[in-house]
Structure formats: structure tokens, C-alpha cells
Amino acid sequence: MVALPIKKVLKEPHEKYLAFCRHSLKVCSESTNQVCNTDCQCTRNCKIDKFCLQCLSRIFEDETSRFRIYKCENITYSYVLRYLNRYASEIFLSLKSNFIFDKPTPLDIVSIGCGPATELFGFERSIHAINPHCSFRFFGFEPNKLWNNCQSFVSNIFNSLPNCSVSFINNYFDENNPLVTNLDFLVLNYLLSDIHKHSPGGISERDNAIISYLNSIVLPIFKKMKKGSYILINDTNSYNMGRNAIEKWVHSINSLCMRVVKRYFDYPNRYPRAHFNSGDKQEKCNSLQFAQPNSIMYNYDIYTIHINECRSSYVLIQRG
């Protein structure tokens, strides 16, 4: 008798999340090259292959498609399958380089525009790798309800773990929220490049849109945050996607800051000037930190082609 492979029991939170998204993908109901939802122009591979990687590529990389938004449930699952490991690893490594989580009271973390909450996985891994007894409360604010299925599953995962409390709110976050004054971390994970992408005009106009958002929404929050708290901005390492605007804004609020850390991840064929203009350092490690379930059994490799390392730049700002 031939021994059958034993199916691995999924224990890690990220493994459970990937499996959920893999099994939640549905066959596209529309015909080839037809619009499946407003602002989503599907390609033939969506129908044939049951996932939205070409649509994601268009949204992320095609200048002519930069106004397209997430309107299809399949694209949310495809997003997680493709980017969870990279985005969570970037958060994990940025925290690992800069923190010792020894606070006796729960850490309060707010993520604005959290979408699928990939940053949560980086926070949990980093916090509990250093101090298993450190508790935290994560509040994800996301007005787009299309992410609710993903968020509901993530809530169930983390709320079943010790020392974790996770909530998602279908709304915007601003200075008037009562969470602000006790906040330890405010996270903007790939939010500003999304604002840049969906703003009209050329690069200069889109940079101004980022600075306007930071001044009107984030700065009033930061002013009310307690001394020693942090803003973590992790985003695309490209001047075409707002990196220089972020740096310009950080410089403008220097008087409010106790500490500013600017770093970037290296990767093959990175343009030599793809980093902040001054005062930054290259992160020592750029390797992905979240092992995928057995690729042969679960066939995850098709979702992560060319996702081989961390690639972001990040800014860590401590309130003075």
C-alpha cells in the first residue's frame, strides 16, 4: 500500500488566512473580457484561472488603470494570497529592528485603511516573539466593506489567541476618536501610495495630495498622541508613488518628534537612488518571514510569482 502524504495541520495565523482565501476564491461568473463589476475590467485569465492576479497587476502597475479600485470579492482574496507574506514581513522586520515590547499594559494599535490587515500579522509575530506575555489591542479602520469577509476571518483567528484583541471598524479614523489619546502605534501600511495612485494630475499634484492628507488627517492625530507613541508609515519605495512627499512631510513636523527612523529594503536590480533623500539606512534583512503552507499540496506558488523579498521603505516617527 502506498502511503499517502499526511495533510499538515495549519497552526500559524498566516497559514490559516492563506488557506481561507485560497478556498474562498469563486469562479468568475462573467464572460471573457467583460466587466465583472464597476471599475474592474477582467482579463480572460480571471475566468480561466479563478484568480485576479492580472487585475492586481493593472491596479498596482498600469498607469492607465490607476483609478481602478477594489470592487470584486475575488480580488481581495487574490491580494492576500499574493502580498500577505511580503507586507507582513516588512512590518515584522521594521519592528524587530527598533523595539523591545516590554510595556506592562496593553499596546493600542490603530491601522488606517487597513484593508486585509496584513500589518497585523507582522505586529503579532514581532510582539510575541520578543515578549509572549505582552498583550495588544488592534483596531483596523477600513470604510470599504468589500474587505469584511477577510477581516471577519482575521478577527476569529486572533481573538482566539491569548493576549490579542482585534476589532475592525467600517469607518474613517480621525483626531476626534477616543482611541487617539491612549494610542501606542498609528499605522499607515500602503495607504499613502493608494492615495497617490487615485489622485488626479501628475506626480507633483499627487505628492501634494499625500501631504494634504497627512496635514489634515494624520497631523491632528499625532499632536494628540501621548509622548513616546509612534507612527509607522510603510509603503512603496518609489518617488513615483509618494515616497519623497512622505519624507518632506516628516521633515516639516520635526519639532514634534523625539525620534525619526527612515529605512528601506534592498532587492535585486533596485535603482541605486531608490531610497529617501537623506538620513536613511538600508535594512539589514530583506527576506520573507512567513513560510507558506506546503506549495505542492496547496499550490500557492502561482500567486506569489516574483514575490521573493521585502521591497518597501518605511518611516518610524516617535512623538516627542
Side-chain angles (χ1 to χ4, degrees):
M1 180 181 292
V2 178
L4 296 175
I6 299 174
K7 189 172 183 178
K8 180 182 176 182
V9 177
L10 302 178
K11 293 183 179 180
E12 293 290 330
H14 75 280
E15 292 180 324
K16 294 177 181 179
Y17 197 17
L18 290 171
F20 166 77
C21 290
R22 175 71 176 82
H23 293 301
S24 297
L25 285 169
K26 303 175 179 65
V27 177
C28 278
S29 60
E30 300 297 328
S31 301
T32 300
N33 292 329
Q34 297 298 309
V35 176
C36 64
N37 264 311
T38 305
D39 298 324
C40 279
Q41 179 70 41
C42 280
T43 64
R44 67 189 300 269
N45 284 61
C46 289
K47 182 173 176 60
I48 295 171
D49 296 333
K50 283 179 53 181
F51 55 78
C52 302
L53 298 188
Q54 289 194 10
C55 284
L56 279 176
S57 177
R58 279 177 157 183
I59 290 174
F60 274 64
E61 301 165 13
D62 185 352
E63 179 70 13
T64 63
S65 301
R66 65 185 176 90
F67 290 107
R68 294 172 63 220
I69 59 178
Y70 304 111
K71 287 271 190 172
C72 167
E73 193 173 297
N74 265 5
I75 210 169
T76 64
Y77 305 132
S78 297
Y79 182 107
V80 173
L81 288 164
R82 182 158 180 78
Y83 293 112
L84 172 62
N85 197 348
R86 172 177 284 174
Y87 293 174
S89 296
E90 291 167 353
I91 295 295
F92 170 78
L93 291 170
S94 68
L95 295 171
K96 182 182 178 183
S97 297
N98 295 286
F99 289 101
I100 298 175
F101 294 102
D102 56 359
K103 186 180 175 186
T105 56
L107 292 166
D108 278 0
I109 305 161
V110 164
S111 178
I112 300 179
C114 66
T118 55
E119 61 274 22
L120 171 56
F121 293 79
F123 264 98
E124 190 277 332
R125 172 73 65 86
S126 181
I127 290 170
H128 290 152
I130 296 170
N131 182 357
H133 303 293
C134 181
S135 62
F136 70 87
R137 299 183 296 198
F138 178 93
F139 302 89
F141 285 78
E142 173 56 63
N144 189 346
K145 294 182 179 180
L146 192 68
W147 296 102
N148 283 9
N149 284 350
C150 288
Q151 293 167 355
S152 178
F153 187 82
V154 169
S155 294
N156 290 336
I157 293 174
F158 284 99
N159 287 328
S160 67
L161 299 178
N163 302 318
C164 297
S165 173
V166 173
S167 304
F168 291 99
I169 301 94
N170 284 134
N171 210 333
Y172 297 94
F173 185 77
D174 62 28
E175 61 178 307
N176 297 314
N177 193 291
L179 292 170
V180 168
T181 54
N182 197 46
L183 202 52
D184 295 288
F185 285 92
L186 180 68
V187 186
L188 284 68
N189 192 36
Y190 287 92
L191 172 67
L192 298 179
S193 58
D194 195 64
I195 292 172
H196 196 278
K197 179 173 58 184
H198 288 101
S199 297
I203 292 175
S204 178
E205 289 81 7
R206 288 183 252 165
D207 280 355
N208 288 336
I210 284 182
I211 292 174
S212 176
Y213 176 83
L214 289 168
N215 280 330
S216 62
I217 302 298
V218 178
L219 182 55
I221 295 171
F222 189 52
K223 286 181 176 179
K224 289 187 174 181
M225 289 170 63
K226 61 192 176 185
K227 184 176 180 178
S229 57
Y230 293 89
I231 294 179
L232 175 58
I233 302 174
N234 183 62
D235 219 310
T236 307
N237 184 11
S238 170
Y239 80 94
N240 285 321
M241 296 298 287
R243 182 197 63 226
N244 292 1
I246 294 169
E247 183 175 34
K248 181 179 179 181
W249 178 77
V250 171
H251 180 73
S252 75
I253 65 163
N254 189 61
S255 63
L256 297 173
C257 305
M258 181 188 304
R259 181 169 69 128
V260 174
V261 176
K262 295 186 288 185
R263 292 188 181 173
Y264 64 93
F265 294 96
D266 195 20
Y267 51 87
N269 301 316
R270 180 182 63 84
Y271 181 55
R273 294 179 65 182
H275 58 81
F276 293 108
N277 290 313
S278 64
D280 65 354
K281 293 181 180 180
Q282 180 180 308
E283 189 61 68
K284 294 179 181 179
C285 175
N286 74 340
S287 61
L288 301 180
Q289 303 293 307
F290 293 79
Q292 296 197 118
N294 188 306
S295 293
I296 296 175
M297 185 177 296
Y298 295 100
N299 198 25
Y300 283 106
D301 286 349
I302 60 173
Y303 305 103
T304 56
I305 295 171
H306 305 311
I307 304 293
N308 302 314
E309 67 282 302
C310 300
R311 291 192 169 213
S312 68
S313 55
Y314 70 85
V315 181
L316 191 66
I317 310 163
Q318 188 174 23
R319 181 74 169 94

